[in-house]
Structures are given as C-alpha cells and as structure tokens.
Amino acid sequence: MTALSLVPVTALKGVGESLAGKLARLGLGTLQDLLFHLPLRYQDRTRISPMGSLYPAQDAVIEGQILSCELIQGRRRSLLIRLKDGSGTLSLRFYHFHPAQLASFKPGARLRCYGEVRTGASGLELYHPEYRLISAGEPQAAEQSLTPIYPATEGLTQQRLRQLNEQALQRLTEQSLPDLLPEPVRKRYRLMPLVEALRYLHRPPPDADLEQLAAGTHPARQRLAFEELLAHQLSLHRLRQQLRAQQATALPPSPELIERFIRNLGFSLTCAQQRVAAEIAHDLAQPLPMLRLVQGDVGAGKTVVAALAALQALAAGFQVALMAPTEILAEQHQQNFARWLKPLGLEVAWLAGKLKGKARQKALAQIAGGVPMVIGTHALFQDEVQFARLALVIIDEQHRFGVQQRLALREKGAISGFCPHQLIMTATPIPRTLAMSAYADLDTSILDELPPGRTPVNTLVLADSRRAEVIERVRAACLSGRQIYWVCTLIEQSEELSCEAAETRFSELVATLPELAIGLLHGRMKSAEKAAIMDAFKQGKLQLLVATTVIEVGVDVANASLMIIENPERLGLAQLHQLRGRIGRGSAASHCVLLYQPPLSAQGRERLAIMRETTDGFVIAEKDLELRGPGEVLGTRQTGQLQFTVADLMRDAPLLPAVREAAETLLKNHSPHESPVLERWIKRGQRYGEV
Ligand code: ADP
Ligand code: MG
C-alpha cells in the first residue's frame, strides 16, 4: 500500500485541478496532509431532538415533515418552511435561496436539518440550516459520530472537506501512515497509536468529551502534538550536533588584560556579571564553537559582559565582531568599546550600511587587515565584508535577528575551516517554554541582577485628555535639571508615519515649552544628525528628546528620569518594557507616563495595567506570550519556524519536558526513526540549518 504522504489529493474522487488549488491554499497536498488537517471544533448531530423540546441558542438536529412553504414579503424577502414532527412544529427561514430550492420543499416531504435554534417571527426558527431531504426508505439514524468542523477556505465547504477526509480515512492504515514513535517511547509517555488518534479526532464517538476536544487537551490530540514537537526538537538537536561537529579556536583566558579593563571601569562587576562572564570564558577556552545566549533584563549590564568575552579573543590575537540591530545602538557600542579598548592599545573599527565611499573602503580594508574589534549593524553580514581572523561573533539584542541570520554570520567566520564562537545577548527575556523550543540550540546564561543603586521606575497610565498636565510636569522636571524622553509611536510597521508624528509633536512641544532645549530623533534622519542629537542629549545640552521607537534598544543616558510614551496601547509589552528601560538608570527616582488614546480595549487595559504593576522583564514576557502568542513575541522573522500544524506552544507546554527527553533518547539510540519524523512534520526550507 502506498504511503499516504506520497499520494496527492488529486488521487481522490472528485478532486480536479481547481479543487486541488483550493486545498493547496490550506497547505494540503497529500492524503497525509488531509489527515493532519484537524477539526477546529465539533458539532453533535448524533441525536435527533424532538421539536417540542427545543430551546433558543441550542444547536440541534431535527427531522420532520414539511407542512407548508411560503414566500414572505416583509422588510426582507424570505422563505419560510413549516415543519412538524410528533412533538411539535418549527420553521426554517432562508433569506438567500434558489428557485430550484424552493421547488424542492414540497409539502409532505421529509427534511433533516441542523442549525441553531432562534426565536423568530413565527416562533422557534432555524435560520439557514444545513438540511437534507430524506427519502422514504432511509433509516432513521442520525450521524454515528460527532461532526467535525475543519479550518476551511473560500470556495471549499465543510461538506466537501468532510467527504475528502472520509476518503482519506478509508485509506488510513498502520501501513499507509506508519507510526513513527518507537514502541518504548509510546509506552513510556502513554501515547495513543497514531491511526487510532487520527480516527478519533476526525470521527469522535457521540460520548466524546467535547470540552476536552475543543481545548486541544484530549489524549488523541496530545499524541499528535507530541510527535510534532518531537520533530521540532530533533531538528534543533540536529543543528546543534552539526555545529558541535565543527571546530573553533580555543581561546585561553587572559587574566591580566581583564584586570586592567576592570580597573579602568569605575565600578565593580555584579555577582551575576562575574558568573556569566566565567561561563563564557570557559566556553571560549574550548576548541568547540560556543553558542551561548545571555538573557539579562534591560540595564543589567550586558555590554560589559560582551566586552569581557571580546577581551579573551583579542588577547589571543583574534578578531571580534559585535553586531547591533540599529545604527544608534551600534554607535553607542562603538563609543563604549573605543573608550574601554583604546587604553589597552586595541583599535575599534566601525561599519554600517550607511557608511559609503572612501570611509566604507577604509573600514573594509581595516576589517580584512585584521583590526581587532569590529562593531556595526547587519551590514557586517554582507559578502564583501571579509574578516582576517574572526574568532568571536557577538550579537546584541538577538530578538531582532532571526535564526537564519544567526546562521549566516556563523558561516562568515567558517571560511578558514574554523567556526567562530557566538555570543548572543537579549534583553527580551524569553519565556522558558519558548526558550526550550526556539532556542534549544543555544546554551543559556542569565544575568539576573541589576547593578546597585537603581530605583525602579514608577509607571503611570493616563488618558490623552490629561496631556496638558503632563506637559506641565515635563516643564517642571526639566527646570529641576532632569532629562526627559518623549516617545511617539504609530503603527509599528510604518516607520514613515511615526517619523511624521514625531516631527509634529516636536514642533508643538517647541512652541509650548520655549524655555527648554528640545531635540528630535527619528529613523529617517541622517546618521551624522542622529549621532549629533544623541551626543547633545548625553552631554545634557538637550533637556527633552522627542523620538520614535528608534531609542527602544540600548540607548543609555543615566540622567534621563522621565519618559512619556504616546499611544502605548499600540505597542507590545516587550517593546514597552524596552522603552521604559531607558530610564531608571541613575539614582534619581524615575517615572514613566503611558499616555493612551481612549477608549482602550479590554486587552489594552490589561496590558497597560501589567506595565504599571511590574518592572520584571520575565513576568512581562510571560504575560506577553499569553496575550499575543509566540509568533508575535519572537518577531515575525521567527514565526516561520514556530508555526506548528497541530501543536500549540502555550497549550502544549506541559509536554515539552517529555518531548525533550524523548528526543534525547531517540538521538542516543541513533534511531532510524529520526529523519522520517522530521520529514513528516517540518517543511523543507523551515528546517534549522538548511539555510
Ligand atoms: P544592558 O544590559 O541593557 O545592555 P548596559 O550594558 O547598557 O545594560 O548597562 C547599563 C548601564 O549600567 C551602563 O551605563 C553601564 O555602564 C552600567 N553598568 C553595567 N554594569 C555595572 C555595574 N556592575 N555597576 C554599575 N554600573 C554598571
Ligand atoms: Mg544593551
């Protein structure tokens, strides 16, 4: 018997090119796809209800004889059919109908209908029910199993999907769709056999637990989710193994250089910084490529940790590349590193996309010539950038870069046969459930301590109607020597529009607050302009900085202690947390005002309340995940890898420990089952490591 994964949907009765096209839109190309296309929910059509027992809002199957069929010419023309059974009467009402339909409703004929009962003009009615004429000889029985409702698409009816699924089910056997979970794994985690699970999900018996099915927690569904999550884990493990098979330069620790660096810092490291730095130092000393993610809340001091890692490579005479997601942040790193490394006799080069002409040629030549420290934006990925002896790549604020980009940069250093070590730093705490799936290829360090002397930011949520008050507060704060951010947001996708919004707000504030030195910063400005404005703000020459979310990441001005965020309801929690992290860096008590546009949706209100209640990045990240789902939290670039067919990371999170364990068992035994599982669940091009 042919494997169902190889049988195209066109092999089914009644599937031509046009229908196949519609199925393709749902990602359904083979019979296996059809079987893994699970119902969204179910209807209970297994019992025929007597008409006399119906009540409004009930979903019911009824069967009866047509008494009459008439056209009603009311405000809206409708077709009204009276039915009766032994227990009472009921009407069907259609607002859309064909003449042929009208002709088929002959008095005396029997109909079986399914729909929601409502109270209408003629008493209880079913609006536009699904119905079928019942011929005289037909048995009385209703459906034998619960009726599945599938995710559908335009031009593809439920009835059609059910028919196709029925055909696929008829060909479903243990041979045509083999169970890829080895017996011991199935036993250990008490998983249903695949074929049984699929039959159950497509045709649940009348006594099935509908609630459990709808919630996706039924064992049949969990069985499939388990397998899909397992495939995902295996794919990450395989990537990891491929990486571990590569060689890297072992970089011995260099205590002297590090001691000199720390002495110049002006503060001592926090315990968390010391611990994480030691973890990194250990990795770097191995001849295997390090792949480490450092998670640390905003302001935890990740830059110093990055510098410590860099020094270990630099001391051994190798190059280090540090990449940041925005030019402003890269610029800031460049300043910090120059300040830290120059006294140690180490040069720092700079490369960004906007660097053109001679300056660019010079930077490329420096990099190819082996300048020790290279800092830049993703321009560092470009083909013409050639490193002389790159041994460590540091990526700041990882959530902005996808897995694929991470892999691309790794390949850059791999030219000489050696793979560079990689250090990834993120301020967006990644909820544990996600970290286990999206980042299973990384080791993780957590910077769970803020440098001393910080005061938590106090957050206020105010309606836009109180803008005048807020502006007065801004005036008073500036006059008492504080510095302030005023952040303008618009729809995230439109950088263009939010620049305009910032420009407008800037002119307004300049007019209202003539006594203040106000600056404007947005993404459309030239790099030199941006740098000049940032500098002026840092040096205290500007009191108020009106900006777009370009300041979201990494900007560090300790004296800024008030931030106004306009339209915070449009931003995700993680982003708000990032923005707010720009203040509260000095010893002065800091305040953040979330100036929203009423009315707020219920979710909007909940989100702003979370911001008011906590400054803990991990709590915020968990809430964000709950409210928005993993795709949103990780950013669009990564959703590709996190789109599951059956599994749901939030709902199925409790399965993850078992899934990981199973993956490890499978790999340990070199199970031949490994690749078929990947083949089945993970679409080509979405696999990690196949760039
Ligand atoms: P983030 O983790 O958000 O990248 P930064 O590296 O920008 O944080 O650090 C935030 C600020 O804290 C910087 O001004 C930095 O110099 C300072 N800082 C870092 N570590 C310490 C420390 N151990 N003690 C005092 N200040 C520190
Ligand atoms: Mg940072």
Side-chain angles (χ1 to χ4, degrees), residues 237 240 243-244 276 279-280 282-284 286 288-295 398 406 410 421-426 430 435 438-446 660:
H237 271 286
R240 202 185 163 100
L243 286 170
R244 303 285 136 127
V276 172
E279 286 166 358
I280 296 168
H282 174 265
D283 283 1
L284 290 177
Q286 312 305 314
L288 301 171
M290 169 177 80
L291 244 188
R292 187 167 283 279
L293 175 71
V294 173
Q295 294 187 57
Q398 136 80 10
R406 208 160 81 204
R410 184 147 58 211
H421 296 284
Q422 242 188 81
L423 179 64
I424 293 154
M425 303 192 295
T426 176
I430 299 153
Y439 299 101
D441 61 325
L442 303 177
D443 293 314
T444 316
S445 295
I446 298 186
R660 271 167 64 117

Side-chain angles (χ1 to χ4, degrees), residues 57-114:
Q58 173 189 10
D59 284 321
V61 188
I62 52 118
E63 191 174 312
Q65 204 172 25
I66 299 180
L67 291 175
S68 65
C69 171
E70 53 182 324
L71 263 174
I72 308 285
Q73 303 287 354
R75 233 176 340 122
R76 257 181 98 190
R77 208 170 68 118
S78 66
L79 184 63
L80 191 74
I81 295 130
R82 300 281 304 159
L83 290 178
K84 69 154 193 185
D85 64 6
S87 70
T89 62
L90 179 81
S91 304
L92 313 182
R93 196 183 288 273
F94 294 88
Y95 288 106
H96 311 279
F97 47 89
H98 299 296
Q101 229 175 336
L102 215 164
S104 70
F105 294 126
K106 292 198 184 65
R110 290 192 73 76
L111 279 184
R112 184 177 299 164
C113 313
Y114 177 83

